[in-house]
Amino acid sequence: MGDEGGDPLALRLEALILGAERRYTPFQAARAAGVSMDLAARFWRAMGFADIGQAKALTEADVLALRRLAGLVEAGLLSEPMAVQVARSTGQTTSRLADWQIDSFLEGLTEPQEGMTRTEITYPLVELLLPELEEFLVYVWRRQLAAATGRVVQATDDAEMVDRRLAVGFADLVGFTRLTRRLEEEELGELVEAFETTAADLVAAHGGRLIKTLGDEVLFAADDAGTAAEIGLRLIETLTHDETMPELRVGIAFGTVTTRMGDVFGTTVNLASRLTSIAPKDAVLVDGALAEELARAGDAPKSEAEAAAAEQAGEEPVAYRFALQPMWQRPVRGLGVVEPWLLTRREP
């Protein structure tokens, strides 16, 4: 939202994208929606929009959005704080998406043509793309909502629907700070994009969820230990064979996790982060809880000695997927003494 002035083309693009002309001041929009100005301001700020005073910069769509959120509160479907949280989470997610689309997508498609400037190309391009991108956004959102709902309703009790037991992992590029001093900005951007894209594809392909990316680090989660372990090793194996990438470290922990606005919090997340920081290069460290889960599920032997003894005794060998090697116990800042385990693939 901007003020009432501005570039004529920018105003035309805004009207095209929003589907309506500027008509209301914030006060008029709040009154038309039947909500207090205070609540309207809280919703707008939560969505990530700056205060605009009493400029006439809002449309019928803004009024309808206010009315819908307020209606959910009035009907008792959402509390007022929850409605504000819905506005904030939606605003933050779509803001990042919109920035990416403008910076990368549209910029690449609006190369100046003979007789037309980039600015002149933008309007007809947006006009063509807008309905298609809108339909695709709704489709992906519904798919993600269905997947997330399915995961939650499978929880064993009400408490687990909020505080769930998950495997949480971090993957961190080694020596990234040094790279920032050595590489050109464009090269660094390409490396980060390649890393994030590869990580996102691997996490999704093997049944995990990418929680967020932090440039040189990604955070992922999985419902079970075996899935997380497979993702961690796949990340190492894939990036090790990419000569353009630095070494990678992965740390994974299993336990109770609190989820809020698509992010994860708690001791388990902190432990996974600490394990990543102490992991050897191109290696995966896991905590004792994840090691126990792998053994319980039959994905790794409870001990290599027992597995070897069973084979020597002539028992049918078990096709374990992973091997676990206990490492030295060590103090971890804020978490006490932990015993990490080195995760590798089980030799056939």
Side-chain angles (χ1 to χ4, degrees), residues 9-343:
L9 178 59
L11 293 176
R12 286 180 60 219
L13 279 167
E14 179 189 276
L16 170 66
I17 294 170
L18 297 180
E21 301 283 345
R22 296 183 176 193
R23 179 177 175 183
Y24 300 99
T25 67
F27 177 77
Q28 291 169 336
R31 185 171 61 182
V35 303
S36 69
M37 186 61 209
D38 176 66
L39 182 59
R42 290 177 63 200
F43 282 149
W44 284 321
R45 289 168 187 163
M47 285 186 281
F49 301 128
D51 293 340
I52 58 171
Q54 287 306 315
K56 188 174 287 188
L58 305 181
T59 72
E60 288 288 351
D62 296 299
V63 172
L64 181 59
L66 281 177
R67 192 176 294 148
R68 279 177 170 159
L69 277 175
L72 291 172
V73 175
E74 290 171 6
L77 294 172
L78 293 178
S79 65
E80 190 172 302
M82 180 58 70
V84 172
Q85 191 175 60
V86 167
R88 179 170 291 110
S89 61
T90 307
Q92 290 177 358
T93 303
T94 53
S95 172
R96 185 179 180 189
L97 174 63
D99 283 342
W100 180 88
Q101 288 175 331
I102 293 301
D103 292 343
S104 302
F105 188 50
L106 289 180
E107 183 177 333
L109 292 177
T110 55
E111 290 295 329
Q113 304 292 323
E114 186 175 348
M116 293 184 72
T117 65
R118 183 188 296 275
T119 300
E120 291 170 332
I121 293 171
T122 299
Y123 188 93
L125 181 64
V126 170
E127 193 172 26
L128 289 170
L129 286 174
L130 186 62
E132 302 300 327
L133 292 178
E134 182 177 17
E135 289 290 334
F136 186 68
L137 175 62
V138 172
Y139 155 75
V140 175
W141 171 71
R142 283 182 177 271
R143 266 289 176 188
Q144 293 286 7
L145 188 64
T149 303
R151 290 192 297 267
V152 170
V153 297
Q154 291 177 33
T156 56
D157 54 47
D158 288 345
E160 195 180 338
M161 293 180 73
V162 178
D163 295 320
R164 304 166 58 200
R165 285 175 62 77
L166 297 175
V168 177
F170 283 90
D172 176 59
L173 292 176
V174 179
F176 186 76
T177 303
R178 291 194 303 274
L179 283 175
T180 61
R181 294 193 292 264
R182 183 166 57 85
L183 296 179
E184 298 290 336
E185 288 186 6
E186 185 173 346
E187 293 176 312
L188 191 64
E190 290 174 354
L191 184 145
V192 168
E193 184 175 358
F195 170 57
E196 291 183 350
T197 299
T198 300
D201 288 348
L202 284 171
V203 169
H206 295 282
R209 299 184 299 286
L210 188 70
I211 303 299
K212 60 185 174 184
T213 59
L214 304 168
D216 62 331
E217 189 175 57
V218 298
L219 170 59
F220 64 91
D223 292 328
D224 64 90
T227 297
E230 182 66 31
I231 290 169
L233 290 174
R234 291 275 182 174
L235 286 168
I236 296 291
E237 293 161 356
T238 301
L239 294 181
T240 297
H241 291 92
D242 188 339
E243 296 180 355
T244 66
M245 287 288 172
E247 293 98 343
L248 189 70
R249 296 178 297 201
V250 177
I252 311 174
F254 184 85
T256 301
V257 174
T258 298
T259 59
R260 290 289 185 276
M261 293 177 62
D263 208 343
V264 290
F265 307 92
T267 302
T268 303
V269 180
N270 296 337
L271 178 55
S273 178
R274 300 289 189 270
L275 289 170
T276 306
S277 66
I278 63 175
K281 295 177 181 178
D282 289 332
V284 180
L285 280 189
V286 304
D287 73 330
L290 191 128
E292 288 179 9
E293 281 294 307
L294 290 177
R296 185 187 62 79
D299 285 326
K302 293 182 179 179
S303 81
E304 290 295 331
E306 288 182 11
E311 289 185 20
Q312 289 176 356
E315 296 181 16
E316 185 71 23
V318 180
Y320 295 113
R321 297 165 60 193
F322 309 112
L324 292 162
Q325 177 186 340
M327 308 291 282
W328 291 105
Q329 290 186 350
R330 64 190 73 189
V332 174
R333 180 167 51 89
L335 297 171
V337 177
V338 300
E339 181 184 13
W341 294 72
L342 181 66
L343 175 76

